[in-house]
Amino acid sequence: MEHSGVGRSFYVAGAFGKANKKISSPLRYFCFFSMTSQEIRTKFLEFFKHRGHAVVPSSSLIPDDPSVLLTTAGMQQFKKYYTGEADALKDFGSKNTVSIQKSFRTSDIDEVGDESHLTFFEMLGNFSFGGSTKKDAITYAYEFITKILSIPISYVTVFEGSHGVAKDEESKKIWNDLGVTDVREEGINDVFWGPTGTSGPCGPTTEIYCRSGEGQDIEIWNLVFNEFFYPGSREELLEQTQGKELQKLSQSGLDTGMGFERLVMLVQRTPTIYETDLFASLMALLPDSLDMRTRRILSDHSRAVCFLISDGVVPSNKERGYILRRLMRRIITHEYLAEGAVNMRLFFEAVLKNYSEWYPELNGSLIAAEWNKEKEKFLRSLSKGLKELGKLQSVSASAAFKLYESYGLPYEIIKELGGEKTETLQRREFEEEFKKHQDISRAGLEKKFGGHGLLVDTGELKAANQEELGIVTRLHTATHILHYALRAVLGESVHQAGSDITVERTRFDFTFERKLIKDEIRQIEDIANDIVKKDVPVSYKELSKEDAEKTGALFFFKEKYPDRVKVYYIGNSLEDAVSKEFCGGPHVTHTGEIGTLKIIKEEACSAGVRRIRATLF
Ligand code: SER
């Protein structure tokens, strides 16, 4: 079972056959649903609540876990409870929890438009950290599916045993005792789950398959028995890398995940997810003149955009911001090509209407503001870009990247509108071009910062000339100090969720649950200004990523860093520095250069994330 592969875990590619062409309006289904999606959500939570599970709200799409860009599964917010670093009983009053988690998987972006693939989706899950037994977990899943939702189970899978882990006879017997006799044994690739690309809790799974309205058996629920911890990546586990062995966790855990949209499709007996009540009102806003695939893409992407922006993601050319930008630009292009027949504002309103009750963090004005900004920016170059694309005979990866670089056309649009010309164009090659370019501009930035620079854009900070560079550099070091001071006052659970520096101010987003009180703001300013007054040296050390992590330096997305990274530290030595962060710079050489820091605004940014603006004078 792949961590990031919705395709594998929940949305099996092409598993549904074709959508029923006779059905002209999704609203047709809308009227006859025996159970609404809202009712299914409530029933799920109630079911587990009655069985002693604490209901935990969805965590943000921006995860605490630096190993992934976006939250891809319900278990992510609970990682520390599996390993024993945190105590669920203390934090939730129970060793068992249940949640409906906002999730996002980029791995399926090219598949969106078919019957069932999505970028943003909700995941229903129940979790246990030394609470429920295997028997409880399987029995609960069986009861919920067959009794509460009245869906028959077609068959289930269990782990056949390998890599030093025994065959899961226990699960097989439990299923048999419940009357499920079609129990299929599968291997490590399919029924052994662990996060990809990083170490973490893992273990054998049992998966439940049910028959769709189209007569296909589809995977509906994945129950992972987190019995192990693996100190390496999934790839290393599969290759049985020497020196990296599965370690038995001191307490067994449970992590289950059920893709909500696909479950609703099963309950409401619709041919695809787009006729369910989750999507019907969105699809109804789109004219028939658009082909089905485009309508589905717009529905999927508009939901994703609303949730990402509301959780604090801002369109940019990097990481999460780049994902959001691509989704937004794909919508903008279709809106542009539809010449007034599509109004995305109505779309966003519909998303808010459908979801606000469940996700109060959805922020209509923030969505509108980011949308308008991005649209204005992209429309300046879109028509030129499309013209250029039209002129090309065939589109190589480097030509595609040029279109992105010069006109902002995202890969998806080039591929989609380029038709035959892009037949050989591969996403992987495009991303390689992208990476090459990033490496070059990073190197260029370092050169410029050597003294001759004029225009700087690191993603985090921007400067048009030398004077501005001086200001944003001071603000950049101030931002590291602010980060330190926030953690000193509010606790170590505070993590950077984003930062943006202009000549006017630094804007810093961080994880924290509530508004800061005046006294805390004053303390934060005092701590920061104390560091400034002491005129502490600021330096960096270049280290291998591994060594850099060992220094205890704060970092963002572990897997995205190059093999060698710079750790900027504020202090006389790396060992006794007050602040250490993985960072590309630039920074001042002594904190005395900064000036006095003043927090000018503190506000909510998204669920669990606060935003501070600060200036220097
Ligand atoms: N974490 C598992 C998955 O994503 C089950 O929740 O499939």
Side-chain angles (χ1 to χ4, degrees):
M1 189 63 48
E2 285 174 24
H3 185 53
S4 60
V6 180
R8 188 69 199 94
S9 302
F10 295 101
Y11 301 97
V12 178
F16 297 92
K18 291 282 157 260
N20 188 341
K21 297 269 175 356
K22 276 178 247 128
I23 289 140
S24 54
S25 164
L27 288 175
R28 232 186 237 192
Y29 290 90
F30 200 53
C31 318
F32 304 117
F33 297 143
S34 54
M35 214 185 273
T36 65
S37 54
Q38 192 74 338
E39 282 165 346
I40 300 171
R41 281 197 192 95
T42 310
K43 278 184 195 293
F44 180 75
L45 294 179
E46 288 295 314
F47 179 87
F48 282 99
K49 200 170 149 188
H50 283 135
R51 285 156 184 81
H53 291 60
V55 178
V56 178
S58 170
S59 64
S60 166
L61 281 167
I62 301 182
D64 267 347
D65 179 352
S67 65
V68 275
L69 280 182
L70 291 165
T71 300
T72 58
M75 63 83 73
Q76 241 158 285
Q77 67 165 322
F78 300 119
K79 243 173 151 177
K80 58 186 182 213
Y81 300 100
Y82 292 109
T83 52
E85 286 161 71
D87 181 356
L89 205 53
K90 202 166 122 223
D91 292 355
F92 307 118
S94 172
K95 287 183 175 177
N96 303 313
T97 61
V98 58
S99 75
I100 300 178
Q101 176 65 47
K102 297 178 279 188
S103 307
F104 190 99
R105 297 185 181 186
T106 37
S107 48
D108 291 323
I109 196 163
D110 291 332
E111 255 51 71
V112 174
D114 70 358
E115 291 82 355
S116 60
H117 284 78
L118 291 167
T119 55
F120 170 84
F121 64 103
E122 293 172 83
M123 195 191 261
L124 310 185
N126 57 298
F127 310 88
S128 167
F129 326 98
S132 304
T133 60
K134 221 175 219 184
K135 186 169 175 200
D136 294 334
I138 293 176
T139 311
Y140 293 158
Y142 172 81
E143 281 178 0
F144 185 72
I145 292 289
T146 62
K147 306 231 162 85
I148 307 290
L149 301 182
S150 307
I151 307 175
I153 292 176
S154 297
Y155 68 92
V156 298
T157 58
V158 298
F159 184 48
E160 66 185 8
S162 72
H163 294 65
V165 180
K167 183 160 139 184
D168 191 359
E169 295 285 7
E170 190 187 349
S171 295
K172 190 171 179 175
K173 175 157 189 331
I174 298 165
W175 282 118
N176 285 160
D177 290 348
L178 287 166
V180 178
T181 47
D182 193 349
V183 181
R184 306 183 185 180
E185 289 172 18
E186 286 187 355
I188 195 139
N189 280 318
D190 295 306
V191 286
F192 194 95
W193 197 91
T196 36
T198 175
S199 60
C202 55
T205 78
T206 181
E207 300 168 330
I208 302 172
Y209 284 76
C210 297
R211 181 95 10 127
S212 76
E214 300 286 275
Q216 302 277 341
D217 285 331
I218 57 170
E219 185 200 329
I220 184 81
W221 204 342
N222 179 23
L223 278 55
V224 185
F225 305 113
N226 275 330
E227 290 161 8
F228 302 97
F229 179 88
Y230 188 68
S233 65
R234 181 171 172 80
E235 294 67 32
E236 289 173 302
L237 170 68
L238 294 179
E239 283 165 19
Q240 300 192 272
T241 306
Q242 291 247 317
K244 295 205 170 175
E245 314 304 333
L246 283 169
Q247 298 154 15
K248 194 104 182 125
L249 285 170
S250 56
Q251 63 177 22
S252 287
L254 169 76
D255 152 29
T256 88
M258 177 155 57
F260 183 52
E261 290 76 2
R262 117 180 320 211
L263 178 72
V264 176
M265 177 184 86
L266 274 189
V267 174
Q268 298 182 348
R269 309 306 290 166
T270 59
T272 82
I273 52 175
Y274 294 99
E275 293 84 15
T276 63
D277 65 354
L278 290 168
F279 281 104
S281 56
L282 296 180
M283 294 291 278
L285 291 171
L286 292 164
D288 285 344
S289 56
L290 287 179
D291 63 72
M292 180 59 91
R293 186 166 171 272
T294 305
R295 279 188 266 165
R296 290 173 178 174
I297 291 171
L298 291 175
S299 304
D300 166 80
H301 285 19
S302 61
R303 277 193 339 164
V305 162
C306 290
F307 278 93
L308 287 170
I309 292 176
S310 297
D311 272 354
V313 183
V314 175
S316 76
N317 289 333
K318 266 175 54 181
E319 296 163 347
R320 288 188 281 254
Y322 174 54
I323 297 170
L324 173 60
R325 169 160 283 169
R326 279 156 45 200
L327 299 177
M328 291 176 89
R329 292 192 169 190
R330 201 169 183 191
I331 307 177
I332 295 166
T333 307
H334 282 297
E335 193 183 32
Y336 170 82
L337 293 174
E339 294 177 333
V342 176
N343 182 346
M344 287 316 293
R345 215 174 31 80
L346 296 179
F347 244 85
F348 297 143
E349 278 169 16
V351 173
L352 256 71
K353 187 158 168 271
N354 289 358
Y355 286 94
S356 287
E357 197 185 323
W358 208 261
Y359 298 101
E361 65 273 24
L362 282 171
N363 183 335
S365 49
L366 188 64
I367 297 166
E370 291 299 346
W371 174 256
N372 290 339
K373 253 193 282 171
E374 185 64 12
K375 190 166 160 181
E376 201 189 309
K377 191 181 276 171
F378 187 41
L379 284 181
R380 278 188 230 136
S381 61
L382 174 60
S383 64
K384 275 195 227 118
L386 293 178
K387 221 182 266 162
E388 283 307 308
L389 174 61
K391 282 191 213 152
L392 294 173
Q393 297 296 322
S394 78
V395 187
S396 64
S398 72
F401 180 71
K402 270 213 188 84
L403 288 173
Y404 175 71
E405 198 187 12
S406 316
Y407 306 104
L409 292 194
Y411 170 86
E412 293 78 19
I413 282 297
I414 297 171
K415 188 85 182 163
E416 212 163 294
L417 302 182
E420 281 179 9
K421 296 181 205 182
T422 58
E423 242 168 19
T424 56
L425 180 65
Q426 300 281 333
R427 177 182 289 284
R428 196 175 35 80
E429 288 165 13
F430 178 86
E431 294 299 339
E432 269 163 27
E433 287 292 325
F434 192 91
K435 197 177 162 303
K436 238 192 280 169
H437 170 82
Q438 279 183 331
D439 291 344
I440 293 167
S441 52
R442 208 175 295 130
L445 172 66
E446 273 162 21
K447 234 190 258 145
K448 278 177 192 159
F449 192 59
H452 324 286
L454 283 178
L455 195 85
V456 170
D457 183 356
T458 67
E460 188 183 14
L461 54 87
K462 293 168 193 64
N465 54 42
Q466 200 64 45
E467 191 194 350
E468 288 192 5
L469 182 58
I471 301 172
V472 292
T473 302
R474 287 198 290 283
L475 277 163
H476 190 196
T477 311
T479 307
H480 281 218
I481 297 176
L482 178 65
H483 192 189
Y484 163 75
L486 279 165
R487 288 164 61 91
V489 175
L490 306 175
E492 302 258 303
S493 64
V494 166
H495 283 289
Q496 176 167 356
S499 111
D500 179 81
I501 298 168
T502 66
V503 280
E504 278 94 28
R505 49 94 185 126
T506 172
R507 194 185 73 198
F508 190 76
D509 298 346
F510 60 96
T511 55
F512 198 60
E513 287 302 331
R514 59 165 173 82
K515 192 164 177 52
L516 270 52
I517 56 172
K518 271 208 184 105
D519 197 44
E520 287 167 333
I521 293 188
R522 196 184 40 73
Q523 278 182 49
I524 292 163
E525 286 175 338
D526 286 352
I527 290 176
N529 289 322
D530 199 39
I531 297 173
V532 172
K533 262 187 237 129
K534 286 193 180 127
D535 199 17
V536 185
V538 184
S539 329
Y540 71 82
K541 223 182 205 151
E542 206 173 305
L543 296 166
S544 71
K545 199 166 59 180
E546 226 180 63
D547 287 343
E549 275 174 34
K550 283 189 203 137
T551 66
L554 300 175
F555 57 86
F556 240 56
F557 312 110
K558 191 160 63 184
E559 63 185 6
K560 293 282 163 184
Y561 289 105
D563 290 341
R564 293 193 67 75
V565 294
K566 285 181 185 168
V567 173
Y568 265 92
Y569 60 95
I570 301 174
N572 288 314
S573 70
L574 186 53
E575 285 68 43
D576 62 17
V578 286
S579 150
K580 299 174 216 179
E581 289 194 35
F582 282 31
C583 179
H587 283 283
V588 300
T589 57
H590 284 81
T591 57
E593 290 166 57
I594 291 174
T596 307
L597 178 123
K598 175 100 193 112
I599 293 174
I600 47 175
K601 197 165 185 187
E602 190 279 329
E603 62 190 340
C605 174
S606 61
V609 178
R610 309 291 304 176
R611 170 166 286 182
I612 270 184
R613 287 186 170 77
T615 52
L616 298 171
F617 58 91

